[in-house]
Amino acid sequence: MPQVTRRLLRTLLFAASFACCAHARAASYVVKHCAELLGKEVPASVIGLPTRGALITDASFVAAAAPHNRNGDYCRLVGVIKAQLDTTPDIRFEVNLPARWNGRALQMGGGGYNGVIVSGTEPTAFAPAASPLSIGYATYGSDSGHVGNSGRADFAMNDEAVVNFGYGALKKAHDVALALIIMGYGQKPEQTYFAGGSTGGREAFTVIERYPDDYDGVIANAPAINFSGVRLMGVKVGRASYGTPGGFVGPVQQKRVVETVLQECDGLDGALDGIVANVEACREREPRIIAQLRCANGQRPSQRDSCLSEAQLATLETLRDGFTLPYELAHGVTRYYGYNVFQGVDFSSGLGLGNSSVLVQPPRFDANGYLFTQGDSYMKYFVTHDLRFNTLGFDLSQPGEYKGRLVDLSSTVGAMNPDMSAFIAHGGKLITMHGLADEVISPNQTIAFYRLLVAKYGQSIVDSFMRLYMVPGFQHGNGVFIPAWDELGALDRWVTANIAPETLVGFDIASATNGRSRPLCRYPGFPRYIGKGSINNAASFRCENP
């Protein structure tokens, strides 16, 4: 970190005079001196990437008895990190300093295209009800450097904003938060963690790869590490759905796919519970599943008949296969791995394939599906800066004048660098969770990256710093099984007590099956029913490798 300026040093020493023993005196300092931080500046010299410094615009003590506050007494600091250019949005951030500090800090990642301040006052995704702030963590997050989380991604017209979204805001928010924690408690955190899912999962891998010495432990759920890949996947799916006559697969047919898969594969783990857990065994039945879905004797699908035409099956097979490029993106990436289309993924609702066989302008999630809508936005805002660009006419294999831009973007917004040697040397720990039924970010991409790490470092070294949990039935925040589990607690025990997590337990928070539990198995394991006991109890299952 750059040398601390005299002005900031005086501030830190002033804070330290109230908090020579941070854990013992944190409550007293936060209560008495929170408001004094209003208007304080963090100079650009202590921020590891170029900015024009940071300013605290609001500093308020939040009492435990305040309405709707379940986080105990804490000092809430809100501010801005000033962009280099006047034409670039500032980074808005929030830092929370609990009165009962446990000596740890947690940076919380965003979601989608961010654009909303991550307050740090809520529980982490899929965690028990208690928030990290309420159990003593100093928490912080940002909006990644723009306002508004729309699918249009219009912020991407600004190159500095793209850098902030990709990685810049992570480092800038971390360094500012660190300075404020020192101001508040008189010392740095003993441990600093990062936790996020989807976009936040990409951010989690990003901080490991770019800023490994800043973090002792990281949680990365459903990580969009191959960001360019998933957006280009959306382009390819759109070309299959709307660029090929009859290629669109409607909700009725998607429901039939899910029902057929369940008939064939639900019991492969020993339990009829609505979950395809033995994905690899189900994959072996794929030809039979496709044969049952195919329209017979040239029959054409209709609203009433949910069989699939050859063009529709080709669209699903495009989703299954992903793509391979004849050129390299950043870090030698040429492939995006496809989805478990015939192993239980439900593309019929939510973030699915859409409900309209007609392409609307501009495309919408509900009508034309999440993947293509986001792919179209990516081409227009990130790649071409041309809102009239014809995405359906774009051939991934022959990008022409846009090849260089695609390569650059894959480096700026992406986390596919397998070099984790500095994080390993630092003693960092990583827990990753991904749903095997994810319809947005392919779980097979996460598995492929894990295997790449094993090939690079060896299984024993990967086991020393990483745990991967692939969860059957879990989609992208939804699904027939939605796990709630104490991921942060598992990470903290690993970092501070060297207790490495093994098989864990997830409690289902899906409305139809709320409360049932399953083992969360280390990859490549899956939960198999032992043949006795309630199928709603994790104790009735054992982790088994395919």
Side-chain angles (χ1 to χ4, degrees):
M1 180 180 291
Q3 185 178 4
V4 178
T5 64
R6 292 181 179 179
R7 181 180 178 185
L8 180 62
L9 183 59
R10 287 197 300 270
T11 303
L12 300 184
L13 291 173
F14 175 75
S17 69
F18 289 97
C20 60
C21 302
H23 291 199
R25 302 187 61 177
S28 174
Y29 179 81
V30 168
V31 169
K32 295 179 180 178
H33 301 283
C34 179
E36 295 177 10
L37 294 173
L38 177 63
K40 294 289 185 184
E41 295 182 358
V42 177
S45 59
V46 301
I47 302 172
L49 292 176
T51 71
R52 291 185 288 177
L55 174 68
I56 306 303
T57 59
D58 183 41
S60 54
F61 175 75
V62 181
H68 311 297
N69 176 31
R70 291 183 289 181
N71 290 305
D73 293 336
Y74 68 97
C75 176
R76 176 177 179 264
L77 306 174
V78 178
V80 295
I81 304 170
K82 299 172 186 176
Q84 291 178 271
L85 303 176
D86 290 335
T87 53
T88 302
D90 293 334
I91 300 167
R92 300 177 301 154
F93 67 87
E94 181 169 330
V95 177
N96 304 293
L97 307 179
R100 296 182 178 275
W101 189 38
N102 64 9
R104 298 160 175 78
L106 175 66
Q107 184 172 4
M108 300 175 73
Y113 279 131
N114 292 331
V116 177
I117 298 178
V118 176
S119 71
T121 59
E122 299 297 324
T124 56
F126 318 117
S131 71
L133 177 59
S134 71
I135 58 175
Y137 284 86
T139 62
Y140 60 99
S142 78
D143 65 357
S144 84
H146 63 271
V147 177
N149 192 345
S150 72
R152 295 184 307 163
D154 49 1
F155 74 91
M157 294 289 200
N158 182 301
D159 287 342
E160 187 181 357
V162 170
V163 169
N164 282 334
F165 173 70
Y167 62 89
L170 300 170
K171 176 62 173 173
K172 296 169 187 177
H174 168 274
D175 289 357
V176 169
L178 183 64
L180 296 178
I181 289 170
I182 294 173
M183 287 184 193
Y185 298 128
Q187 69 176 56
K188 297 193 302 183
E190 295 169 359
Q191 288 85 30
T192 298
Y193 301 141
F194 188 101
S198 191
T199 289
R202 169 185 63 79
E203 293 171 340
F205 273 88
T206 296
V207 300
I208 288 175
E209 295 165 19
R210 289 183 180 267
Y211 315 113
D213 292 333
D214 287 348
Y215 301 88
D216 302 292
V218 169
I219 292 170
N221 294 328
I225 51 176
N226 192 348
F227 177 79
S228 293
V230 71
R231 291 296 180 254
L232 294 177
M233 186 73 227
V235 174
K236 193 170 181 66
V237 171
R239 284 167 61 90
S241 294
Y242 297 106
T244 303
F248 175 74
V249 184
V252 172
Q253 285 132 329
Q254 265 303 306
K255 279 295 184 186
R256 176 168 174 176
V257 174
V258 175
E259 292 166 358
T260 303
V261 169
L262 284 175
Q263 290 171 6
E264 288 289 329
C265 301
D266 186 1
L268 294 178
D269 62 346
L272 293 174
D273 55 2
I275 301 172
V276 178
N278 193 346
V279 167
E280 293 306 316
C282 185
R283 209 180 302 280
E284 296 177 3
R285 299 193 177 194
E286 189 171 300
R288 188 161 68 185
I289 292 169
I290 293 175
Q292 293 179 57
L293 296 171
R294 178 178 282 113
C295 291
N297 303 319
Q299 176 187 0
R300 298 183 63 183
S302 65
Q303 291 293 331
R304 295 183 178 180
D305 193 331
S306 56
C307 70
L308 276 75
S309 69
E310 294 301 323
Q312 290 171 322
L313 287 171
T315 296
L316 296 184
E317 289 165 358
T318 294
L319 271 168
R320 175 199 65 193
D321 296 340
F323 63 79
T324 301
L325 299 173
Y327 53 92
E328 292 185 354
L329 299 175
H331 308 297
V333 172
T334 60
R335 184 174 178 185
Y336 187 77
Y337 290 77
Y339 299 77
N340 295 325
V341 178
F342 301 107
Q343 289 81 41
V345 183
D346 188 353
F347 285 100
S348 67
S349 61
L351 300 176
L353 292 176
N355 57 28
S356 174
S357 60
V358 177
L359 182 60
V360 301
Q361 292 296 342
R364 301 194 315 266
F365 293 166
D366 61 335
N368 306 123
Y370 179 88
L371 289 175
F372 175 67
T373 300
Q374 293 285 39
D376 180 67
S377 175
Y378 180 70
M379 292 305 303
K380 290 175 177 174
Y381 289 97
F382 279 86
V383 179
T384 69
H385 291 180
D386 180 1
L387 303 188
R388 297 174 297 178
F389 184 77
N390 176 20
T391 299
L392 290 184
F394 181 70
D395 184 352
L396 277 60
S397 297
Q398 300 179 6
E401 63 180 297
Y402 300 115
K403 178 181 175 181
R405 179 66 175 165
L406 290 175
V407 174
D408 289 345
L409 282 169
S410 68
S411 175
T412 303
V413 190
M416 290 293 289
N417 184 357
D419 185 0
M420 296 190 172
S421 55
F423 187 70
I424 297 169
H426 175 65
K429 307 300 182 186
L430 166 65
I431 297 178
T432 300
M433 182 269 282
H434 205 150
L436 284 164
D438 197 321
E439 77 280 29
V440 174
I441 307 300
S442 172
N444 297 312
Q445 177 67 77
T446 299
I447 291 171
F449 192 77
Y450 173 82
R451 289 174 173 171
L452 179 63
L453 294 176
V454 171
K456 181 177 177 66
Y457 295 107
Q459 189 67 60
S460 62
I461 291 180
V462 172
D463 286 347
S464 74
F465 81 94
M466 182 178 184
R467 290 291 184 268
L468 175 61
Y469 296 90
M470 303 302 297
V471 182
F474 180 47
Q475 295 195 204
H476 201 73
N478 206 338
V480 294
F481 182 83
I482 306 173
W485 58 310
D486 185 14
E487 205 168 5
L488 182 58
L491 180 70
D492 186 55
R493 287 187 293 274
W494 196 5
V495 171
T496 61
N498 200 31
I499 300 173
E502 297 296 334
T503 299
L504 301 172
V505 175
F507 292 89
D508 194 357
I509 57 174
S511 58
T513 48
N514 190 282
R516 67 177 172 175
S517 60
R518 289 288 183 275
L520 299 181
C521 303
R522 287 182 57 189
Y523 177 80
F526 70 93
R528 178 181 287 280
Y529 181 56
I530 62 176
K532 58 182 178 180
S534 170
I535 63 170
N536 293 322
N537 192 328
S540 303
F541 292 78
R542 295 290 181 270
C543 290
E544 178 179 301
N545 288 343

